[in-house]
Amino acid sequence: MNALAKEAEMPLSSNWLRIGLYGGIHFLQLLSAIVVLAGIADQARYGPSSICILYIQDYKQDSQNPGYYLFNANSSSCSGIMGLSAASMLLALIIGGASLYYIVRAEFRAVRLIFGMAVIAIIETLIAFLMAIVATIGINTTCGQFAGAGFSCSTIFNGGFFEQETSLTYPKNLATVNAAVGMAWICFLSWAAYAGLEVLNWRNSV
C-alpha cells in the first residue's frame, strides 16, 4: 500500500513542477512585453507628435540659437517596437493560457496541436529577437550621436527634448529605456525557452 501511494504521488509532483516551469516562462513573456511596451511608449517618445528618440541622426548645435541642439528624428522604430511587444503580450496570454490549461488538467494534447504551438513559439521567438535588436541598435545609435557631440546620454535625456513648434521641454529617463531594451532580450529568451520545450514535446509525441 505504501509503495502504491508513492507511485500515485509522483505524477502529481511532476505536474506541479511543470506548472511552475511553464507558468514562470509565460509570466516572463507577459511581464517583459508589458515593460517593453510601457518603457518605449513613455520614455522613448516625447511631445505632442510622439517623436521617437531612437535612431536620431545629425545631432548638432543650432547656429541661430547657441546653446540649443537640433537633430533629425524620423524613425518609426518606437511604433514598431510597441507593435511587436503588444503582439508578444497577446500571444503570451493566449498561448500561455492554452499551455497551462492542458498542464493543469493533465490532459494529453494532439500531435498537431503541439506542432502548431511549437511553430507559433518559434515565430514569436524570431519576432522578439527582431524587437530586441531594433531597440538595442536604436538606443546605441542615439547615445552615439550625443557622445559624438561631447555629452553623456543620460545628461541629454535628463535635460529633456523639445519640439520647435512648442516651448515645452520633455525630460526623459534613460534608465527606463535601457530597462525596456533589457526586457526585450528577456522576452526573446523566454520565448526561445518555451519554443525549445514545445519542440521537445513534439519530438517525444511522434
Side-chain angles (χ1 to χ4, degrees):
M1 293 297 293
N2 291 336
L4 288 175
K6 286 185 178 180
E7 289 176 0
E9 289 173 2
M10 287 179 61
L12 181 61
S13 175
S14 177
N15 203 46
W16 278 112
L17 288 174
R18 293 185 68 210
I19 292 172
L21 175 62
Y22 282 80
I25 289 174
H26 294 312
F27 175 76
L28 274 179
Q29 291 169 345
L30 181 61
L31 176 65
S32 58
I34 291 173
V35 172
V36 173
L37 178 60
I40 296 299
D42 188 55
Q43 295 299 320
R45 305 186 305 165
Y46 74 92
S49 302
S50 296
I51 296 174
C52 181
I53 47 183
L54 302 181
Y55 292 98
I56 71 164
Q57 298 292 332
D58 199 24
Y59 184 75
K60 61 184 179 181
Q61 190 171 30
D62 186 355
S63 58
Q64 297 180 353
N65 297 289
Y68 288 88
Y69 285 78
L70 303 175
F71 57 86
N72 293 324
N74 301 314
S75 174
S76 59
S77 60
C78 289
S79 297
I81 294 169
M82 290 166 58
L84 293 177
S85 59
S88 181
M89 186 169 57
L90 182 61
L91 273 177
L93 288 171
I94 296 173
I95 297 296
S99 172
L100 291 175
Y101 172 82
Y102 283 99
I103 295 174
V104 170
R105 293 175 63 89
E107 292 185 4
F108 289 101
R109 292 178 293 168
V111 176
R112 282 183 292 184
L113 178 58
I114 298 174
F115 178 76
M117 293 177 75
V119 170
I120 292 173
I122 291 171
I123 293 173
E124 178 55 32
T125 299
L126 296 175
I127 291 174
F129 179 71
L130 175 63
M131 176 177 70
I133 286 290
V134 170
T136 301
I137 296 176
I139 191 60
N140 287 343
T141 299
T142 292
C143 288
Q145 288 284 314
F146 298 151
F151 300 104
S152 72
C153 202
S154 59
T155 297
I156 299 298
F157 269 73
N158 291 336
F161 304 87
F162 70 94
E163 286 191 67
Q164 290 179 308
E165 293 79 8
T166 70
S167 58
L168 296 176
T169 300
Y170 302 90
K172 294 296 172 179
N173 191 305
L174 178 62
T176 301
V177 177
N178 285 333
V181 173
M183 290 302 277
W185 285 106
I186 291 177
C187 185
F188 158 67
L189 292 174
S190 61
W191 276 103
Y194 175 66
L197 288 172
E198 287 294 34
V199 169
L200 286 176
N201 289 334
W202 172 71
R203 291 188 62 181
N204 291 333
S205 65
V206 295

